[in-house]
Amino acid sequence: MEKPRKIEFHNDCEKVLHHSLVAVTPEEGCALLVGCKSESISIHKTNHWQIKLIWPCLNIWDSKIWKPYKVAHKKKISSHAKESKSNRFAINPLDQLIAQRWARANNMQVLGTAHSHPNSNGVPSKLDLSYVVRPSLMLILDEQKQINAWWISNNQKVQSIEVAFCLKK
């Protein structure tokens, strides 16, 4: 999968994302990003992803569920903070499935995930990276309420992506 050069928020998606992620503070909020991919026909091909819908999700993170996963996959994540929904998130797989079906029925796709870091910066944490199993888009709303876009590759290399805000429909 090729990294997008730019992420475009359409309509009120930026506002919906902010409100849904901030609404659950001090816990981490989470959402799926639904839209489409487009490529310009100019000489310099640009791969833009258009976010046309925010699919807010419930953070279902629970240490009883996720700690065995880390042990089973030998993920060694050092953490000095007590693990809770205030510094961890998990999206319900059923939410993912329903969003994927809805997106396909509407000629779109789930482009990635978004979550908040209500008490830290907008850079993917080691734990965030440990759960990435394929190249993917990750947006993080930081403690300053700024949206940060990241492309995470198979080898967990993190690359920043430009974010644009459009009023197009």
Side-chain angles (χ1 to χ4, degrees), residues 8 18-19 105 145:
E8 297 175 347
H18 270 96
H19 289 296
K145 310 300 184 255

Side-chain angles (χ1 to χ4, degrees), residues 48-86:
H48 292 181
W49 290 13
Q50 301 169 349
I51 298 171
K52 298 192 174 193
L53 179 89
I54 301 300
W55 193 282
C57 298
L58 180 65
N59 181 352
I60 64 164
W61 193 89
D62 182 334
S63 63
K64 294 177 194 110
I65 296 170
W66 297 104
K67 277 191 180 182
Y69 172 85
K70 287 193 304 188
V71 171
H73 289 83
K74 298 181 177 141
K75 302 283 184 188
K76 295 182 180 177
I77 308 298
S78 64
S79 174
H80 302 295
K82 183 178 186 259
E83 292 179 341
S84 70
K85 288 182 181 179
S86 66

Side-chain angles (χ1 to χ4, degrees), residues 87-101:
N87 57 14
R88 304 288 184 258
F89 84 99
I91 295 175
N92 187 333
L94 185 57
D95 283 341
Q96 295 175 12
L97 181 62
I98 293 168
Q100 288 171 344
R101 286 182 178 168

